[in-house]
Amino acid sequence: MISRIKNWYLLLVILPGFAWGEVQVTDIEFASLPGEQFEIKLLFSENPPQPKAYEISKPARLILDFPGVGSSLSEKKYALGFENARDAVIIADGSRTRLIVNLTESAPFTTDISGNSMTLRVGADGAARFNTGAVRQASNKSESFVDNLKGSELAVTEVDFRRGKDGSGTISIGLSQPSVNVDIDRNSSEIKLSFYQTELPERLDRRLDVIDFATPVQTIDTVQEGTTTTITIEASGQYDYLAYQADGQYVVNIKPLSDAELEEQSKKFAFNGERLTLNFQNIEVRSVLQIIAEFTSLNLVASDTVTGSITLRLDNVPWDQALEIILKAKGLDKRQEGNVLMVAPAAEIAEQERLQVEANKQLQELAPLETAFVRIKYADAGEIFELFTARSTESGQSGAGGSREGNATNTILSERGSAIVDERTNTIILTDTEEKINEFKRLISEIDVPIKQVLIEARIVIANTDFKKELGVTWGLAGIDKLSGGQFSSASGDRTLGFSGRRSGLAPGAGVVETFTYQADEVDTTGPDGQAGTADDVTVVTQNYDFGLGDSLAVDLGVADAAGSFSLGYLTDSFLIDLELSALESDGFGEIVSQPKVLTGDKQQAVIKSGTEIAFQKATSSGATSVEFKEAVLQLEVTPQITPDNRIIMDLLVSQDSVGAFTPTGEPSIDITQIQTQALVGNGQTLVLGGIFQTEEVNGTEKVPLLGDVPFLGRLFRNELRNIEKREILIFITPKIIDDSLLDR
């Protein structure tokens, strides 16, 4: 058996380096429900198996086993503030993960698996208890053992011990049948297990000495007492135990208690002394005090004024509780220094303490003053000093550092003490007694610590999608003709009739050129000699007239900036007709990604901005104008707070502003995208804060009245447009706690 125990110990040393199971417990959540109920939710890396549930009545516990599941949780024990729950424990041993819920009293419970999570609800009114072959520890010993056996033999098959890596000791007891009736009892130094109507093989009737394994367990005694197998576990020191049964295996885990756990237990029950029993009739108080002193091995000093007798019967109570009861009954009080216990009337002790306080005060007033320099490492010396001052006053500068001097606090420094803060060296200069200086230094060492750093990463994604389709037509008609019967005796002898539209292929302003020719007789009545002439001269006059066809359109419903067009025209000497079809179809996608990052301390606000400032004019009351600026920036403003379980509460303000369209007065507008919220997120997890999705769809038609409605031919008199625009905005936040080890590099 001893060799088997050693083998277990070697396995416990070797196995922790291995990761067990493909399915992992990733997170645990707790919630309070109405009607004295509560809920525990386990999150897994993938779909978990159906758990095996067990219930223990003494002490009240719920145990859920998940076979083949590992645990990636950083903590194993979680304190619960529910009325019927003290704490929850998550342990993994390689083959399974176990959830243990320590209750104040037994309560019904249910389990529910949904996807990658399992929910345990405790205290549900009228809910059926979970029962898949679960074994409940029997507390009713009157139930017939023969009825439970149903003809099968009950026996203890194995008693084994192993040491846990946390210094705990685990006793594993094998049972031939899971239906064994078990009772457990604990006193100050031992735990006694009674397996009723159970046989013990001769080879297991022995004592195991396991003191060398450095656990609270000292010895394990296994004996047969009639039809009952009794296992007595002797333990030392301050410890707590956990007992549970899984099928044919009964396990008792004994764990040493840390100082924090002992303090927590002391708050629940102030007395933790070794238990004793006192039964006396009319016994002197001094004799009872002497008995308690001998029981506790304390040195007793009783005042001469301690007199009288007392009658008491105390059964199995802690000795410190028994002493407290006796002192209260007789109007006495106690003081303990080391292993010396002093007992006297309460008024006498109070007077002695008053005299001692006055003496200490006189000694303090006479104690010499000393000066000490306390260098502040991480915090601001002025801020720390103000924490310890009841009132402070600014009193000017001292030296190059700009020192501050304030009145001493009533609780930290003495009435004669003083302090000066040197901001240049971040040092507090104290002048006081040695005792007060040492007390001040102890307080400084507790609060002058580096604060945790948090890296905040934001990701703002803006996606734009647009689609446009347009079809239009442009056509025109132009012509000119001369009216008959005109005389060419003048330039305006003939008249013209014209109509016009747009001409394809002709430059704007170009017209049709017409040529007119006429004759005129010119008589020279003056000769060279000044006499009247006799010869007649005939002159031919030719003039050109440009009849412009104009640049107007019959129908102008074409597509601006068309991707393609088709033109058709017909031109003669007297008229022109043309037709132009134009079309446009566009499809676009754009994505804007902004990734601001900022590093800040716990509970420290941080702001990061990037963008532009827009100037605009603002009228004043006097009528004059002034120039002001408005920010259009990408901004991340955050104040993180780290919780005790290493999660992060963030006060967030995220904005993405940009320059929009211009107003009729010429001033630009600002398009605002902003979110302000408070969120709780785990370390390194990404949170989607919010999103905005916008869709704009425009369908339009431009047409010539009446003509545009004509079937088929109406296409020549209208323009059709379809425009679709989509805009989506998403904001992601990822906080990360910076490891202190990275800062020390």
Side-chain angles (χ1 to χ4, degrees):
M1 174 58 68
I2 299 300
S3 62
R4 186 182 295 110
I5 295 175
K6 292 182 179 179
N7 291 335
W8 274 107
Y9 179 76
L10 292 176
L11 287 175
L12 290 171
V13 174
I14 297 173
L15 293 181
F18 294 89
W20 301 98
E22 296 180 357
V23 183
Q24 297 285 322
V25 179
T26 60
D27 197 5
I28 184 171
E29 300 176 354
F30 307 92
S32 177
L33 301 177
E36 300 181 357
Q37 307 175 47
F38 66 94
E39 181 181 277
I40 300 177
K41 179 180 287 186
L42 292 179
L43 302 179
F44 300 82
S45 59
E46 51 187 272
N47 294 340
Q50 186 70 31
K52 297 181 179 179
Y54 312 93
E55 181 182 1
I56 299 177
S57 58
K58 293 182 180 180
R61 288 185 174 94
L62 297 178
I63 299 99
L64 272 68
D65 280 345
F66 297 86
V69 177
S71 176
S72 60
L73 300 178
S74 58
E75 299 181 19
K76 295 183 178 180
K77 188 174 183 180
Y78 303 84
L80 303 179
F82 307 132
E83 185 173 351
N84 191 31
R86 293 185 287 117
D87 56 325
V89 181
I90 292 282
I91 54 177
D93 63 356
S95 61
R96 66 184 182 274
T97 293
R98 171 164 290 167
L99 170 64
I100 304 171
V101 184
N102 295 313
L103 305 175
T104 305
E105 59 183 11
S106 299
F109 66 97
T110 60
T111 61
D112 180 37
I113 295 179
S114 178
N116 293 356
S117 65
M118 191 282 303
T119 303
L120 170 66
R121 295 182 179 89
V122 182
D125 296 334
R129 293 179 179 268
F130 189 95
N131 188 10
T132 57
V135 179
R136 181 177 181 180
Q137 181 177 343
S139 60
N140 187 4
K141 300 178 183 179
S142 64
E143 183 178 358
S144 173
F145 173 72
V146 179
D147 295 338
N148 290 333
L149 279 182
K150 297 181 180 180
S152 61
E153 182 180 359
L154 297 183
V156 174
T157 61
E158 194 65 66
V159 179
D160 205 351
F161 172 84
R162 64 184 182 190
R163 185 185 187 277
K165 60 182 180 180
D166 57 349
S168 63
T170 301
I171 299 93
S172 300
I173 304 165
L175 303 174
S176 61
Q177 298 289 334
S179 55
V180 175
N181 195 353
V182 186
D183 188 27
I184 186 170
D185 184 33
R186 173 187 176 178
N187 55 33
S188 59
S189 61
E190 64 181 22
I191 299 173
K192 186 176 182 180
L193 302 173
S194 299
F195 298 85
Y196 298 103
Q197 303 293 333
T198 304
E199 294 185 1
L200 178 68
E202 185 177 354
R203 61 183 179 85
L204 298 179
D205 192 350
R206 63 190 177 182
R207 164 179 282 196
L208 294 179
D209 189 352
V210 294
I211 192 174
D212 294 337
F213 287 89
T215 70
V217 182
Q218 305 293 301
T219 59
I220 305 172
D221 286 323
T222 307
V223 297
Q224 182 81 49
E225 298 178 350
T227 61
T228 301
T229 299
T230 302
I231 299 178
T232 303
I233 305 171
E234 183 181 355
S236 63
Q238 300 293 337
Y239 65 90
D240 193 11
Y241 77 97
L242 173 66
Y244 59 91
Q245 183 176 348
D247 293 332
Q249 197 80 8
Y250 195 92
V251 180
V252 180
N253 181 267
I254 300 177
K255 174 187 175 183
L257 296 177
S258 62
D259 294 339
E261 294 172 332
L262 289 174
E263 184 179 358
E264 183 180 354
Q265 287 190 356
S266 64
K267 294 179 180 178
K268 298 179 181 178
F269 187 71
F271 308 104
N272 54 8
E274 189 174 357
R275 298 178 179 271
L276 54 74
T277 299
L278 300 175
N279 190 356
F280 296 105
Q281 296 287 334
N282 197 24
I283 187 176
E284 291 185 357
V285 176
R286 301 177 69 90
S287 300
V288 178
L289 296 177
Q290 184 64 32
I291 293 173
I292 295 176
E294 294 177 355
F295 180 81
T296 59
S297 299
L298 293 175
N299 297 314
L300 176 66
V301 178
S303 174
D304 294 338
T305 54
V306 178
T307 58
S309 302
I310 190 173
T311 299
L312 70 161
R313 184 182 183 276
L314 301 174
D315 187 16
N316 195 30
V317 299
W319 71 264
D320 48 352
Q321 185 181 12
L323 178 61
E324 189 73 19
I325 293 173
I326 296 171
L327 297 179
K328 287 184 178 181
K330 305 303 293 185
L332 304 175
D333 200 355
K334 70 178 188 306
R335 294 293 185 270
Q336 184 175 349
E337 296 181 2
N339 65 341
V340 179
L341 182 65
M342 297 177 291
V343 179
E348 182 178 333
I349 291 180
E351 180 64 19
Q352 290 179 356
E353 290 180 345
R354 186 186 66 81
L355 296 175
Q356 184 65 39
V357 170
E358 292 181 356
N360 292 338
K361 184 177 179 180
Q362 293 178 0
L363 291 175
Q364 190 178 37
E365 293 176 352
L366 298 176
L369 298 179
E370 299 181 1
T371 300
F373 300 87
V374 181
R375 178 68 61 85
I376 308 301
K377 300 178 181 178
Y378 305 102
D380 182 78
E383 294 180 356
I384 287 186
F385 177 74
E386 292 178 357
L387 294 177
F388 297 115
T389 56
R391 57 192 183 278
S392 63
T393 57
E394 302 275 350
S395 64
Q397 305 291 327
S398 176
S403 304
R404 291 186 297 182
E405 183 178 0
N407 295 328
T409 171
N410 298 328
T411 58
I412 305 301
L413 301 180
S414 65
E415 295 180 355
R416 298 188 298 159
S418 63
I420 297 176
V421 178
D422 187 9
E423 296 180 351
R424 184 180 63 87
T425 60
N426 205 39
T427 301
I428 299 178
I429 306 173
L430 296 176
T431 301
D432 209 332
T433 62
E434 182 181 1
E435 179 183 359
K436 289 296 183 179
I437 290 177
N438 293 333
E439 182 181 355
F440 191 88
K441 288 182 177 180
R442 287 193 300 268
L443 292 173
I444 292 297
S445 64
E446 291 292 331
I447 65 175
D448 186 24
V449 294
I451 61 175
K452 292 185 176 181
Q453 304 290 306
V454 182
L455 177 64
I456 309 295
E457 299 181 8
R459 184 180 177 93
I460 305 173
V461 181
I462 303 176
N464 297 299
T465 303
D466 62 86
F467 173 80
K468 185 177 182 181
K469 183 177 181 181
E470 187 176 359
L471 179 64
V473 62
T474 301
W475 63 274
L477 182 66
I480 186 171
D481 197 6
K482 290 188 290 184
L483 297 177
S484 60
Q487 300 295 323
F488 294 100
S489 58
S490 65
S492 60
D494 280 356
R495 297 291 184 266
T496 60
L497 176 65
F499 54 91
S500 64
R502 184 170 182 172
R503 304 165 315 282
S504 297
L506 297 180
V512 178
V513 180
E514 295 287 347
T515 302
F516 299 94
T517 304
Y518 65 94
Q519 296 180 354
D521 294 335
E522 294 184 357
V523 179
D524 187 7
T525 57
T526 303
D529 55 358
Q531 301 295 321
T534 58
D536 294 334
D537 297 327
V538 179
T539 303
V540 179
V541 181
T542 302
Q543 294 188 3
N544 298 330
Y545 294 89
D546 186 0
F547 297 93
L549 299 182
D551 196 26
S552 60
L553 295 172
V555 177
D556 187 8
L557 295 175
V559 178
D561 300 326
S565 62
F566 175 77
S567 300
L568 179 66
Y570 181 74
L571 178 63
T572 67
D573 293 339
S574 59
F575 72 91
L576 167 69
I577 185 172
D578 69 339
L579 175 68
E580 181 180 275
L581 297 176
S582 56
L584 170 67
E585 183 172 332
S586 63
D587 190 2
F589 175 79
E591 185 178 68
I592 302 174
V593 180
S594 303
Q595 290 184 283
K597 299 181 181 179
V598 62
L599 180 66
T600 184
D602 185 23
K603 301 182 185 66
Q604 303 295 317
Q605 186 185 58
V607 180
I608 184 172
K609 296 181 181 180
S610 178
T612 61
E613 287 189 343
I614 302 173
F616 64 96
Q617 291 185 349
K618 182 179 180 182
T620 62
S621 58
S622 61
T625 59
S626 61
V627 179
E628 295 188 1
F629 292 88
K630 179 68 175 179
E631 292 182 343
V633 298
L634 168 65
Q635 177 177 329
L636 173 61
E637 181 179 324
V638 59
T639 304
Q641 177 181 346
I642 302 175
T643 63
D645 56 351
N646 276 342
R647 292 194 288 180
I648 305 168
I649 300 175
M650 297 178 293
D651 293 324
L652 286 162
L653 174 61
V654 184
S655 61
Q656 171 88 56
D657 301 339
S658 59
V659 181
F662 285 83
T663 63
T665 59
E667 297 176 350
S669 62
I670 299 177
D671 297 332
I672 297 177
T673 302
Q674 180 176 294
I675 183 171
Q676 183 173 2
T677 184
Q678 183 182 83
L680 173 64
V681 63
N683 181 26
Q685 295 182 351
T686 300
L687 177 67
V688 181
L689 291 182
I692 301 174
F693 184 79
Q694 297 175 323
T695 301
E696 181 180 355
E697 183 173 353
V698 178
N699 294 309
T701 301
E702 295 182 359
K703 61 184 178 180
V704 178
L706 300 178
L707 297 178
D709 298 326
V710 177
F712 302 107
L713 293 179
R715 287 276 187 181
L716 299 176
F717 298 93
R718 64 174 180 258
N719 177 292
E720 296 180 351
L721 170 67
R722 186 185 181 189
N723 189 16
I724 300 175
E725 294 183 1
K726 297 180 180 180
R727 178 181 175 91
E728 186 175 9
I729 303 174
L730 293 175
I731 300 176
F732 305 86
I733 292 292
T734 304
K736 298 179 181 179
I737 301 176
I738 304 300
D739 192 356
D740 294 339
S741 59
L742 299 177
L743 301 176
D744 296 335
R745 294 181 179 178

